[in-house]
Amino acid sequence: MASKPNMLIIMVDQLRYDCLGYSRQAPVLTPHLDKLASEGMWFERAYNHIPVCGPARQSFVCGRRAESFGGLWNFSLGMQVGALEPASYSWARTLQEAGYVNGYIGKWDVHPTYDPTHYGYDVFVSSDEKYREWLKERHPDLAYANGYFGETDPLPLADTRTHQTADMAGRLMRRLCEESAGSPWQLRVNFQEPHLPCRPAAEFAGMYAPACIPEWGSFRETFANKPYIQEQQLRNWHIENYDWTEWAPIVARYYEIVSQLDDAIGKLLAELDALGRSEDTVVIFTTDHGDMCGGHRMLDKHYVLYEDVVKVPLIIRWPGVIAAGSRCDQFVQSLLDLPPTLLAIGGSAPSADARLHGESLLPLLRGTEPAKWRDEVVASYNGGQFGLYTQRMIRTREWKYVWNCTDVDELYDMRDDPHELHNAIHHPANKRIVAELRKRLYDILHEAGDGIVQNTWMREQLLAGRKG
């Protein structure tokens, strides 16, 4: 085994924590990812820190909260917004300087101009662009009719984006193995699924009967005492009158594309086996954020910090280091904790200007619980295609508090109300816990350089009781 292991990082887009079979929650079949989890460590409390594609992925590149460098929302929306510049710290560059050969394939969303080769990657394959060109040549008459709500994909399974991405990633992995000349490599593979619209191929379409899809525990949402924007989100999507009979087919297609994605990832992992590199490669699987997919009657992910979008799957397999079948119950901020973890795995330290916001998971991976670990996770949201809207969240084992700067705050008792249906912010018995959570939230945001708490007006909302 090489002294420095290879690293295969598989990131998918918009996958719910409960929609992997290994979570034992939703009835979704994911045998390949379940096997990966059984051979490594499954994280039961991994959380995203900002459930928006671009800011989340920018944070992963540099290991910092998005607000600290201005990555507030997706730059593809057309609004003026900051993006992570190439001069910023990148852990991939540190690994590169330490001898790693770095490859990147798939969705980027970090900068509208600069690609991954400006952030420490030796090779970048824009799989989406290549796939579009290939698809136009091979299937020039391909057309879809149901928009974001999804439909059966008429393409052969081998021609779908999931499986073409896996094929391209497998070829790139083989190239890294052949051209690294004994040096370790790091490959980041980015699938665009199961982000809506969900279009499963014939082999997976119909795999889950809508009549057998159970309602989410949060589906009977009334929005009583909730921020106005949540119910407005339904109107924006024209789904305010959808009952479960309308939602079940949409959820079924989501399940189906997750199973199809699992099949594609299984092919990529089989290629790693065929190359004889599974034993000296750390495999990491995660997502940028979750998906409402009918939870709280909502589509997509905007204007909320519910568990549906902030709790995420995270799997790490490291043969010879992580005991098979391991489970971690500690709070993890996945895209913030992975950068220092990857550096530690590669035997490198971040440069002085890195100022990482996460903690290395290495002690947890080795089964040596650190003397002190965080007792909470913090997430944020800053608006998007339906307008700007600022939120900050702090989640402990017992409580979730959401600071909605321009609307009613939210407080959920996560033990008695795990589906977050009842906003308890104004219950007199909760006054003390609200004050404590606001102070803890303020301290974490202030230390991370979040500008929202840097002015007196907003600071007084949290610390001086100036919030209704």
Side-chain angles (χ1 to χ4, degrees):
M1 181 180 293
S3 57
K4 292 183 178 181
N6 307 310
M7 303 178 194
L8 173 59
I9 303 165
I10 303 171
M11 177 179 281
V12 300
D13 194 346
Q14 205 152 308
L15 176 62
R16 294 174 62 104
Y17 168 89
D18 52 12
C19 284
L20 287 183
Y22 208 76
S23 73
R24 302 171 186 165
Q25 295 186 31
V28 187
L29 300 178
T30 53
H32 300 288
L33 288 168
D34 291 355
K35 181 175 183 291
L36 182 70
S38 72
E39 295 169 343
M41 180 173 285
W42 169 263
F43 289 80
E44 297 179 333
R45 294 181 186 273
Y47 281 77
N48 160 279
H49 66 286
I50 182 166
V52 186
C53 301
R57 291 164 185 269
Q58 291 173 51
S59 285
F60 187 29
V61 167
C62 68
R64 294 178 57 78
R65 292 187 179 276
E67 291 79 18
S68 69
F69 56 82
L72 302 181
W73 53 82
N74 292 340
F75 47 75
S76 60
L77 294 177
M79 296 184 289
Q80 293 296 315
V81 63
L84 187 72
E85 297 299 328
S88 304
Y89 176 77
S90 164
W91 54 266
R93 191 180 295 120
T94 299
L95 290 180
Q96 186 182 52
E97 293 166 353
Y100 273 81
V101 180
N102 296 328
Y104 192 109
I105 180 168
K107 185 170 181 174
W108 176 229
D109 263 5
V110 171
H111 200 284
T113 304
Y114 299 104
D115 68 27
T117 61
H118 292 84
Y119 297 80
Y121 285 88
D122 301 281
V123 184
F124 169 51
V125 176
S126 179
S127 61
D128 191 46
E129 181 179 341
K130 288 181 177 294
Y131 179 65
R132 283 197 303 269
E133 294 171 355
W134 178 87
L135 199 61
K136 188 174 181 180
E137 294 176 2
R138 193 173 178 90
H139 301 280
D141 298 324
L142 178 68
Y144 298 107
N146 204 31
Y148 281 112
F149 296 96
E151 60 208 285
T152 299
D153 197 330
L155 291 172
L157 181 62
D159 289 2
T160 60
R161 189 169 57 188
T162 52
H163 285 59
Q164 280 296 305
T165 300
D167 285 348
M168 285 186 272
R171 291 195 294 271
L172 178 55
M173 184 164 59
R174 182 175 292 275
R175 174 182 168 185
L176 293 178
C177 289
E178 293 171 349
E179 297 180 1
S180 59
S183 298
W185 48 264
Q186 180 258 136
L187 173 60
R188 184 171 155 190
V189 180
N190 300 269
F191 288 87
Q192 294 207 29
E193 290 76 21
H195 193 294
L196 49 75
C198 297
R199 294 171 177 145
E203 289 87 336
F204 292 89
M207 186 175 179
Y208 302 96
C212 298
I213 301 292
E215 282 189 14
W216 304 117
S218 65
F219 184 71
R220 296 298 161 179
E221 174 67 78
T222 66
F223 301 106
N225 194 30
K226 300 286 187 82
Y228 160 81
I229 194 69
Q230 295 190 17
E231 194 168 7
Q232 178 60 39
Q233 200 244 48
L234 274 64
R235 298 188 186 96
N236 289 339
W237 282 110
H238 305 280
I239 57 175
E240 64 268 30
N241 296 317
Y242 275 31
D243 203 347
W244 190 248
T245 53
E246 285 85 20
W247 267 110
I250 298 171
V251 178
R253 284 191 288 272
Y254 183 82
Y255 285 7
E256 289 157 4
I257 202 67
V258 170
S259 291
Q260 179 174 316
L261 175 64
D262 175 80
D263 186 72
I265 291 171
K267 295 183 183 303
L268 179 60
L269 295 175
E271 179 67 14
L272 182 66
D273 289 341
L275 290 168
R277 306 308 299 268
S278 293
E279 290 303 309
D280 63 355
T281 300
V282 179
V283 179
I284 297 171
F285 171 83
T286 193
T287 185
D288 51 359
H289 50 74
D291 190 329
M292 294 308 293
C293 195
H296 296 269
R297 298 166 50 203
M298 294 181 179
L299 191 70
D300 211 9
K301 55 189 176 285
H302 304 289
Y303 305 97
V304 292
L305 293 170
Y306 288 126
E307 297 287 281
D308 312 63
V309 296
V310 293
K311 189 172 185 181
V312 296
L314 174 62
I315 299 168
I316 303 180
R317 185 184 72 184
W318 188 358
V321 176
I322 298 176
S326 297
R327 288 178 175 265
C328 178
D329 189 45
Q330 297 284 6
F331 277 124
V332 168
Q333 298 259 212
S334 53
L335 300 186
L336 297 178
D337 291 339
L338 281 175
T341 304
L342 294 164
L343 292 172
I345 290 172
S348 298
S351 61
D353 65 336
R355 304 187 304 280
L356 301 180
H357 287 153
E359 300 290 336
S360 171
L361 302 174
L362 203 56
L364 301 178
L365 301 182
R366 294 186 182 278
T368 56
E369 295 281 333
K372 181 170 176 52
W373 192 256
R374 67 172 65 91
D375 297 318
E376 69 283 304
V377 286
V378 168
S380 61
Y381 182 76
N382 300 291
Q385 64 261 53
F386 302 145
L388 306 186
Y389 183 72
T390 304
Q391 296 179 287
R392 301 292 183 265
M393 176 207 90
I394 183 167
R395 162 73 151 99
T396 68
R397 290 180 185 263
E398 297 84 12
W399 299 96
K400 176 184 286 187
Y401 166 70
V402 182
W403 177 31
N404 296 300
C405 299
T406 56
D407 206 329
V408 62
D409 287 351
E410 298 163 76
L411 180 71
Y412 301 105
D413 183 331
M414 299 306 295
R415 291 186 172 171
D416 292 342
D417 181 26
H419 301 302
E420 303 169 278
L421 288 170
H422 308 290
N423 184 8
I425 191 68
H426 290 136
H427 196 292
N430 296 330
K431 187 174 182 179
R432 178 187 58 80
I433 190 63
V434 169
E436 291 177 0
L437 291 172
R438 283 173 171 166
K439 176 64 166 61
R440 289 168 70 180
L441 178 61
Y442 170 83
D443 289 342
I444 293 169
L445 297 178
H446 187 271
E447 184 178 356
D450 189 335
I452 199 66
V453 296
Q454 304 301 323
N455 69 77
T456 302
W457 306 100
M458 304 309 289
R459 185 164 55 244
E460 287 191 348
Q461 280 198 20
L462 290 181
L463 301 184
R466 306 306 298 171
K467 187 72 166 72

